Amino acid sequence: MPPAPVSDRLPVFPWDRLEPYKTAAAAHADGIVDLSVGTPVDPVPELIQRALAQASDSPGYPTVWGTAALRDAITGWCERRLGARGLEHTNVLPVVGSKELVAWLPTQLGLGPGDRVAYPRLAYPTYEVGARLAGADPVVYDSPTELDPDGLRLLWLNSPSNPTGRVLGQDELARTVAWAREHGVLLASDECYLELGWEADPVSVLHPDVCGGSYEGVLALHSLSKRSNLAGYRAAFMVGDAAVLGELLQIRKHGGMMTPAPVQAATIAALGDDTHVTEQRERYAARRTALRGALAAQGFRIEHSEASLYLWATRDEPCWDTVGDLSKRGILVAPGDFYGVAGERFVRVALTATDERIDAAVRRLSA
């Protein structure tokens, strides 16, 4: 008998279920306002485009570890922005977009049957996918320190959260890091929305007040997709435990998981400039204020959402009823049950649409 397809281990791809509602929303006389997928729509900043273009004559293979200049840019940004201390190049690993890393980390760590991978009850679906690709057991939690540590090999944190925008406080992060170390569990913190705090100031697990100045057993994942509009570049990196990252580097060399040389140059430019990040934050803040007010006026309650690029909204009805109602107004949102059963009465509303489309959504909600 041939082996079962690997895809049999995986859940149904959730976005396929949204297609009929996308078709309905697109039929609106003024066109669709797509607030379902958090994909950037604003231009890539000029200085990043220039860096990419200037590095376009790159005929040779890049290295998986990236250039020394890239590793300098990553450690420098982590020290400046996250408060990390004493980072060396061995604490850095460039990756080909954050989703790739999330999906393949359990496999590259050598996890398999009998091992457990934990992630929040409401979460980005790829944490579960990564566990299943490795043949490990996915486990959800409400509080990570209440997990049974037996067989638990990898613990995902996500702050700010996708989809809820919840931010974990410094004390909670420190307790979780201490618990993971006590039980020999590798902790990976997905911090891709850290630059987008609105009503909270997100803290990294790399901060010395959280990790105690040691990166043992701790990894932090960061992406330039949202803060620099670089989703199309697949620019991301992981920082933390040198021993773990060194092993991953060896595996990824064999797998050819290389960030293209022009993208490495663009990443250096992006990490060295804070002005474009501030400008993009201002765009998102204005869109957030407009959408939040319009949703509240229509009877929606917004929970958490103190950070990230989404509003976690509910009218205390099944999420697909909300999706269907909004699609009739030409507005497409993501049903909360894409992120776990606990989200079945919520929808996730993305801020990633142009100002013109956000204004259209506000008018439709106000009509």
Side-chain angles (χ1 to χ4, degrees), residues 253-277:
K253 284 180 179 179
H254 284 289
M257 293 180 168
M258 300 174 284
T259 302
V263 174
Q264 293 187 33
T267 300
I268 293 168
L271 291 175
D273 178 72
D274 295 330
T275 300
H276 77 276
V277 180

Side-chain angles (χ1 to χ4, degrees), residues 98-323:
S98 58
K99 184 171 185 175
E100 170 263 302
L101 189 285
V102 173
W104 292 108
L105 181 61
T107 297
Q108 293 176 4
L109 290 171
L111 275 55
D115 296 322
R116 299 162 69 229
V117 176
Y119 51 88
R121 187 172 300 280
L122 278 167
Y124 182 49
T126 311
Y127 304 128
E128 177 187 357
V129 167
R132 294 190 181 281
L133 282 171
D137 296 324
V139 179
V140 298
Y141 65 78
D142 295 307
S143 173
T145 57
E146 294 178 1
L147 284 163
D148 179 357
D150 185 37
L152 184 62
R153 299 285 304 281
L154 177 62
L155 169 62
W156 279 107
L157 302 183
N158 181 207
S159 176
S161 163
N162 175 14
T164 69
R166 181 187 175 206
V167 172
L168 301 178
Q170 179 177 294
D171 290 346
E172 185 174 1
L173 288 171
R175 285 195 301 273
T176 306
V177 168
W179 181 90
R181 285 173 172 165
E182 177 186 354
H183 295 287
V185 178
L186 178 64
L187 184 148
S189 180
D190 180 347
E191 302 176 351
C192 290
Y193 294 90
L194 185 137
E195 299 254 53
L196 297 165
W198 310 115
E199 295 155 6
D201 187 13
V203 179
S204 172
V205 294
L206 303 177
H207 194 284
D209 290 343
V210 174
C211 67
S214 166
Y215 303 116
E216 181 182 358
V218 171
L219 302 173
L221 178 62
H222 285 269
S223 167
L224 277 65
S225 292
K226 305 304 194 292
R227 50 92 75 187
S228 297
N229 299 333
L230 296 188
Y233 284 48
R234 312 315 299 135
F237 51 88
M238 187 160 253
V239 181
D241 190 315
V244 175
L245 294 180
E247 173 66 10
L248 292 175
L249 176 60
Q250 297 307 313
I251 294 165
R252 293 170 70 85
K253 284 180 179 179
H254 284 289
M257 293 180 168
M258 300 174 284
T259 302
V263 174
Q264 293 187 33
T267 300
I268 293 168
L271 291 175
D273 178 72
D274 295 330
T275 300
H276 77 276
V277 180
T278 300
E279 292 172 352
Q280 189 60 44
R281 277 179 51 86
E282 291 170 355
R283 293 186 191 104
Y284 284 136
R287 294 165 186 168
R288 179 178 183 271
T289 297
L291 276 176
R292 184 168 192 148
L295 288 166
Q298 285 295 305
F300 282 90
R301 184 176 74 256
I302 308 298
E303 291 196 358
H304 295 299
S305 306
E306 59 262 30
S308 84
L309 286 182
Y310 311 105
L311 294 170
W312 188 237
T314 182
R315 286 192 306 206
D316 295 309
E317 64 185 5
C319 60
W320 287 99
D321 290 355
T322 308
V323 170

Side-chain angles (χ1 to χ4, degrees), residues 21-36:
Y21 300 92
K22 185 174 184 178
T23 300
H28 191 278
D30 186 38
I32 189 173
V33 178
D34 192 344
L35 307 178
S36 63

